[in-house]
Amino acid sequence: MRIIRTKNYDEMSRKAAAIIAAQVIHKPNCVLGLATGGTPVGTYKNLVEWYKSGDLDFSEVSTVNLDEYRGLPREHRESYWSFMHRNLFDHVNIPQDRINLPDGTNMDADAECKRYDAVIASMGGVDLQLLGIGHDGHIGFNEPSDAFDMGTHCVDLTEETIEANKRFFASRDEVPRQAYTMGTHTIMSARKVLMIVSGRDKAEIIKKAFFGPVTPHVPASILQMHPNFVLVADEDALSLV
Ligand code: PGA
């Protein structure tokens, strides 16, 4: 595990974008695993800027997103499909047919999870997986539990996650209660994992996840065992370690 300490959110975003850009330059037809949430917005902004200035070309890149709310149509402003288009896909040249997210409108959970795992397998796995971390240590929507989940599965969101995500919706009641998420095994199979973290409110969980025992009660802790894991975090997020 490598830790890159940055002064603040902006520097974290630039460093993370630089690592992703290096991946795309080294392997133009790479598979990028992408994440949503507040944290990656700045990273995507840098990638868009570098694409627009002609420094990056995504024409051979494929993407797989970590997760999607179950039951939310793509067109809903808060679907992860919409988030990704608004923040990245609408502004760079990743071909539409190489963009993959779980289909939140497929209510047959079993079929959808199998389909998504098959998509990832058919691409030969993920070259670089971008991740944030939840206050409870979740990665994707892999919430604390008694065992690490394997492949893509359907989860019930915890009260803490519903609470954290309600800022994006008109009211708490509108936050979907379930999601499809890549499993921990899929995330661990990525050839490189890049986690970005910013803010004092994440300091406690960073200490627990990366300086405590590996346990499914803190899902991100399993990344301690990943052979190519980079944590890019700002001073506030690292203030307790
Ligand atoms: P955030 O979410 O980037 O909005 O803090 C991270 C996560 O829940 O994985």
Side-chain angles (χ1 to χ4, degrees):
M1 161 168 147
R2 279 204 61 201
I3 300 180
I4 298 174
R5 176 187 288 261
T6 67
K7 274 197 282 300
N8 51 33
Y9 177 84
D10 286 347
E11 192 190 349
M12 175 207 76
S13 301
R14 278 198 308 280
K15 290 251 158 64
I19 292 170
I20 296 170
Q23 172 69 62
V24 173
I25 291 165
H26 272 131
K27 187 179 176 188
N29 63 346
C30 64
V31 177
L32 297 180
L34 299 175
T36 53
T39 316
V41 170
T43 304
Y44 295 147
K45 217 174 249 169
N46 281 287
L47 291 175
V48 169
E49 240 171 62
W50 299 340
Y51 164 72
K52 287 193 169 151
S53 62
D55 292 325
L56 269 181
D57 173 23
F58 292 92
S59 60
E60 292 177 57
V61 167
S62 301
T63 68
V64 282
N65 260 81
L66 275 175
D67 43 22
E68 178 60 282
Y69 289 117
R70 179 168 185 249
L72 214 56
R74 276 177 163 193
E75 300 71 33
H76 190 288
R77 197 188 141 77
E78 292 309 329
S79 75
Y80 288 167
W81 190 91
S82 290
F83 173 98
M84 288 306 304
H85 280 75
R86 200 161 56 238
N87 286 286
L88 183 67
F89 300 151
D90 284 348
H91 314 289
V92 298
N93 64 338
I94 302 170
Q96 274 297 327
D97 60 352
R98 293 192 189 209
I99 290 172
N100 298 279
L101 285 93
D103 178 1
T105 59
N106 184 355
M107 296 311 277
D108 182 341
D110 229 35
E112 181 52 24
C113 294
K114 282 205 182 90
R115 181 196 72 82
Y116 204 58
D117 279 339
V119 165
I120 298 168
S122 74
M123 296 169 136
V126 175
D127 288 297
L128 185 157
Q129 178 66 55
L130 178 66
L131 290 179
I133 187 171
H135 293 105
D136 58 359
H138 71 211
I139 43 176
F141 274 124
N142 292 282
E143 303 281 9
S145 71
D146 291 335
F148 288 110
D149 278 298
M150 302 295 281
T152 303
H153 56 286
C154 181
V155 290
D156 295 327
L157 305 196
T158 60
E159 285 306 312
E160 194 168 2
T161 299
I162 293 167
E163 198 54 36
N165 288 8
K166 76 173 185 202
R167 65 197 147 123
F168 300 118
F169 291 84
S171 74
R172 192 179 194 282
D173 287 347
E174 276 190 29
V175 185
R177 290 331 198 225
Q178 288 188 313
Y180 295 131
T181 182
M182 271 188 205
T184 333
H185 178 76
T186 322
I187 294 170
M188 286 296 282
S189 304
R191 287 179 271 284
K192 186 182 192 84
V193 177
L194 166 63
M195 178 180 275
I196 48 177
V197 193
S198 166
R200 180 66 185 75
D201 58 309
K202 296 280 175 76
E204 203 71 60
I205 193 63
I206 288 299
K207 185 175 171 194
K208 259 200 204 158
F210 303 119
F211 297 85
V214 174
T215 161
H217 295 285
V218 184
S221 64
I222 199 169
L223 294 166
Q224 292 181 36
M225 305 178 75
H226 193 283
N228 196 356
F229 171 51
V230 186
L231 170 65
V232 181
D234 66 13
E235 280 171 6
D236 285 344
L238 293 172
S239 57
L240 295 180
V241 297

